[in-house]
């Protein structure tokens, strides 16, 4: 079990329960005078379980990334690390974003250079065909 700041989810929130091996559940009941625990249910249905009312075993479920887009900044090559870095924005299901770097080995740079050249050729051929 990993100790950390308690998470106190609201009714309907998704929560990850460390005491259940990282199992994810929907909070269907909150701790109250009549219940000393959270009650969770698998999102797709199934058997409910309980988590301690102090929230120490619960964690928020992060939104999943949907895609990444290149930022309008130059890629850089670090010759000491022998890798390239392309600034990208990662987009999440909940509408959030995060700016980070896509790190590529020299072999990956060469592979994507060849693949992008083919995409550019296909785009140009489609433009010519449309005229």
């Amino acid at each position: 079990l990993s100790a950390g700041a308690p998470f106190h989810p609201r009714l309907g929130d998704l929560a990850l329960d460390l005491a259940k091996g990282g199992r994810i559940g929907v909070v269907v009941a909150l701790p109250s005078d009549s219940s000393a625990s959270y009650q969770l249910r698998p999102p797709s249905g199934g058997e409910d379980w309980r988590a301690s009312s102090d929230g120490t075993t619960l964690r928020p479920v992060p939104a999943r990334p949907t895609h990444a887009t290149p930022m309008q900044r130059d890629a850089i090559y670090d010759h000491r690390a022998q890798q390239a870095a392309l600034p990208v924005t990662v987009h999440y299901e909940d509408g959030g974003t995060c700016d980070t770097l896509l790190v590529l080995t020299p072999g990956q740079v060469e592979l994507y250079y060849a693949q992008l050249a083919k995409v550019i050729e296909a785009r140009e051929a489609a433009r010519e065909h449309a005229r």
Side-chain angles (χ1 to χ4, degrees), residues 104-116:
L104 303 165
T105 65
Q108 291 169 324
V109 170
E110 291 176 11
L111 172 68
Y112 294 126
Y113 175 78
Q115 290 180 355
L116 289 171

Side-chain angles (χ1 to χ4, degrees), residues 2-130:
S2 168
F7 170 56
H8 298 286
R10 297 173 302 194
L11 202 59
D13 283 353
L14 284 177
L16 183 142
D17 190 350
L18 297 174
K20 294 290 184 179
R23 191 171 179 197
I24 293 174
V26 178
V27 177
V28 295
L30 300 173
S32 64
D33 292 338
S34 61
S35 174
S37 59
Y38 287 94
Q39 184 174 342
L40 295 99
R41 178 174 298 143
S44 57
E47 191 172 327
D48 291 5
W49 76 92
R50 298 199 174 274
S52 175
S53 64
D54 64 8
T56 56
T57 68
L58 300 178
R59 298 292 180 272
V61 176
R64 293 186 313 196
T66 59
H67 64 286
T69 54
M71 296 172 65
Q72 296 295 322
R73 297 191 3 223
D74 290 339
I76 58 170
Y77 182 74
D78 181 340
H79 70 278
R80 289 176 297 184
Q82 294 190 8
Q83 61 189 23
L86 175 68
V88 296
T89 300
V90 178
H91 301 262
Y92 295 91
E93 285 178 328
D94 65 0
T97 61
C98 174
D99 294 341
T100 189
L101 295 173
L102 173 62
V103 178
L104 303 165
T105 65
Q108 291 169 324
V109 170
E110 291 176 11
L111 172 68
Y112 294 126
Y113 175 78
Q115 290 180 355
L116 289 171
K118 289 180 184 178
V119 169
I120 291 167
E121 288 173 13
R123 179 176 177 238
E124 290 172 356
R127 281 184 170 174
E128 289 298 319
H129 182 68

